[in-house]
Amino acid sequence: MAHRAAPKRTPTVAALVAALSIALPDAAPAQGRPRACAGDPAVWLSQLNAWRAQPQPCGAGSVAAPPLQADARLQDSAQAQALAIAERDDLSHQDQRGQTLAERLRERGIVVRQAGEAVAGGQDLFQGVLERWRDSPAHCAIAADPRFAGGGIACAEREGSRYGRFWVLQAGTTRR
């Protein structure tokens, strides 16, 4: 009996995908999913405080503002808003349910005497965000408001979005 050679087998698409996933375990996350930016919010707050220490031509006039203290509750709220606006690819002061800053803070149990929010998008570094806020009278007034005692700064990024990075400052004077 003659011996027949086994037919030549070509790898299937599934086998190729499995081989690639084994070879590339650290593949980039799915495009379009928002995630927190790498970076340290405490460093960003320190940069904002250095900027606030200089009199700014907005807000309460040419008066330097005291430094903002890191507020974990405002930080968490800012991060949630940064992720929400990254998800929608939209620079908005409302969340996906249409809630304002005051409503979002109240829902989180954060009671404030006054609060403000500044957003920005597209800047890779926080220094660029500060420049953008300085050049916008409304955002500058929030970032330089001397009535605010605490704050949190957050960044989210989303590949394939219009802005890439989304920045949020939430500042205020909370009641404990």
Side-chain angles (χ1 to χ4, degrees):
M1 190 169 211
H3 179 66
R4 288 178 44 191
K8 197 174 198 177
R9 298 181 82 176
T10 57
T12 65
V13 171
L16 289 172
V17 169
L20 284 174
S21 64
I22 291 169
L24 302 171
D26 295 327
Q31 183 173 350
R33 260 191 120 186
R35 63 179 180 262
C37 300
D40 186 351
V43 171
W44 302 330
L45 189 61
S46 177
Q47 290 175 315
L48 175 62
N49 283 333
W51 180 82
R52 285 171 57 92
Q54 305 301 314
Q56 299 299 325
C58 58
S62 294
V63 178
L68 294 175
Q69 299 302 308
D71 184 308
R73 298 177 307 157
L74 290 173
Q75 177 64 43
D76 290 344
S77 180
Q79 188 63 62
Q81 182 65 2
L83 290 167
I85 63 176
E87 178 69 36
R88 292 191 325 271
D89 200 10
D90 161 80
L91 296 178
S92 173
H93 292 285
Q94 294 183 335
D95 69 3
Q96 59 275 21
R97 297 171 296 161
Q99 289 187 310
T100 65
L101 173 62
E103 292 166 330
R104 287 182 274 126
L105 293 177
R106 192 171 25 258
E107 185 175 86
R108 289 174 166 273
I110 303 170
V111 180
V112 294
R113 285 187 217 125
Q114 63 261 338
E117 179 176 77
V119 299
Q123 299 80 14
D124 289 331
L125 302 174
F126 186 67
Q127 189 60 41
V129 175
L130 277 177
E131 291 169 10
R132 174 69 54 99
W133 288 342
R134 180 198 65 217
D135 294 341
S136 163
H139 290 96
C140 186
I142 291 166
D145 193 323
R147 297 174 302 159
F148 296 152
I153 300 171
C155 176
E157 57 190 1
R158 181 172 162 221
E159 291 180 36
S161 66
R162 180 175 14 183
Y163 299 101
R165 285 192 166 196
F166 301 78
W167 298 86
V168 176
L169 161 66
Q170 288 184 358
T173 301
T174 61
R175 297 179 192 164
R176 299 265 170 199

